[in-house]
Amino acid sequence: SFAAFSKILIYIAAAVALVAASGWFGRDKDYRAEYPVLVLLSGVGMGMMVSAGDLLTLYVGLELQSLAAYVLASFQRKDMRSAEAGLKYFVLGALASGILLYGISLLYGFTGSTLFGDIAMALDREGVSTGELFGIVFVLAGIAFKVSAVPFHMWTPDVYEGAPTPVTAFFASAPKVAAMALLVRVTVEAMGPATDAWRQIIIFMALASTILGGVAAISQPNIKRLLAYSSINNIGFALIGLAAGTREGVASVLFYMAVYVAMTLGAFLCVQRMRDADGRPVETIASLSGLSRTNPALAAAFAIFMFSLAGVPPLFGFWPKFLVFTAAVEANLTWLAAIGIATSVISAFYYLMIVKTIYFDEPAAAYEKSPARVEGVLIALAALFVSPLGYFSIPLLDAATLNAAGALF
């Protein structure tokens, strides 16, 4: 049930990325048959990741997802930024894969198995040796690269900015869910008896991600770079729930990722509609000035997603943050929840800055009217979900996430 819940989120995000891409690439005559094949290959890899009960299956799934992602990042061959994004992602991804594989080899060497259940039994029976601790650190470092948690976040802003916008929307949603689910599964199922060892690492990554994601985004002039730091910031909040190490904590992480996918896809679909009068993509935050007067519908959607990402009540983005902070408090990590609340206030600044630019600044040049109606429908559905109407889905999501989390305990 844990894998099934994660796969639903992954495949919904992948489907949206496929639908959104035809409108984006079609204008530049750069849409090729490889795109859906690569997204599907990546989806298969992510399905393997969240279903993995063995470190080797985990690695094969992660590599299948990553290899397709490297090509997707550099999909626009004539665009230098896209080529640069693909190369950076490939080089740093190869380094992360090496770190992960080294950690897997250490865990196998010291526990005698690559199966999650056997590793947990070995850690429970013998305690955590120094070699096993190093293995845990390297495995978590390798997976942290995939969720772009600090200090393994360095690729995220450059890749998000350089990759085509539908690809960036895909990267910010489906692989994030897969990697976060994988991180949860490895820590809880394989490293459960070593909770005290991995909790310190998760807490550090959570604090560093929320602080850096909140502060570094403030000075960004590019909307895609800002959303990259926003994703780092949101992963930090999700990790606070994981740090609790309880069933409720894991359920709060899954709930958080479900709402995060809707907020992120909606925001990037809005960015996809930012094109000048000649149809060229525009990515500067300054170009959003006065959007409320030139395109009220797009401005309203942007505002809903920004307020929700900031966690401002009554938008639905508030509720998953409340859940992860509650899980941390119940696990006697009140100080961690308090720091998380403080950093969420910092991150709210740049979300509200975008809303201020849209509604209160003098209008910039109007964007081209987009003919893609499917995109408009997807934006409307995402906006409705993260609006106060989203609270009606709480009973269903609560039941699904608690059931999924219970499968690991």
Side-chain angles (χ1 to χ4, degrees), residues 179-270:
M180 182 58 75
L182 178 64
L183 183 60
V184 169
R185 189 156 195 159
V186 168
T187 50
V188 174
E189 199 173 350
M191 304 173 184
T195 299
D196 290 337
W198 60 254
R199 178 180 278 153
Q200 298 173 50
I201 302 168
I202 298 296
I203 287 174
F204 170 77
M205 291 196 300
L207 289 175
S209 299
T210 53
I211 293 168
L212 184 131
V215 174
I218 293 172
S219 60
Q220 299 301 323
N222 184 291
I223 187 74
K224 285 165 73 175
R225 285 186 78 88
L226 184 142
L227 288 173
Y229 283 108
S230 165
S231 76
I232 294 168
N233 185 253
N234 278 282
I235 288 300
F237 292 125
L239 289 172
I240 290 175
L242 177 57
T246 60
R247 181 189 174 195
E248 289 70 24
V250 170
S252 71
V253 173
L254 294 175
F255 198 111
Y256 197 104
M257 297 312 294
V259 181
Y260 166 79
V261 164
M263 296 188 295
T264 302
L265 285 174
F268 275 107
L269 286 170
C270 289

Side-chain angles (χ1 to χ4, degrees), residues 75-106:
F75 198 74
Q76 285 184 298
R77 291 175 293 187
K78 298 174 185 175
D79 188 341
M80 288 294 290
R81 291 194 312 163
S82 183
E84 180 189 353
L87 186 60
K88 282 182 177 176
Y89 196 14
F90 173 69
V91 171
L92 292 170
L95 174 64
S97 294
I99 292 171
L100 176 65
L101 203 55
Y102 185 55
I104 289 172
S105 67
L106 283 173

Side-chain angles (χ1 to χ4, degrees), residues 42-111:
S42 186
V44 170
M46 288 184 275
M48 285 185 69
M49 286 165 66
V50 298
S51 295
D54 184 290
L55 291 173
L56 294 179
T57 315
L58 172 161
Y59 185 75
V60 171
L62 191 141
E63 285 305 296
L64 181 58
Q65 182 271 319
S66 298
L67 289 171
Y70 302 148
V71 183
L72 284 170
S74 55
F75 198 74
Q76 285 184 298
R77 291 175 293 187
K78 298 174 185 175
D79 188 341
M80 288 294 290
R81 291 194 312 163
S82 183
E84 180 189 353
L87 186 60
K88 282 182 177 176
Y89 196 14
F90 173 69
V91 171
L92 292 170
L95 174 64
S97 294
I99 292 171
L100 176 65
L101 203 55
Y102 185 55
I104 289 172
S105 67
L106 283 173
L107 281 179
Y108 172 64
F110 283 96
T111 63

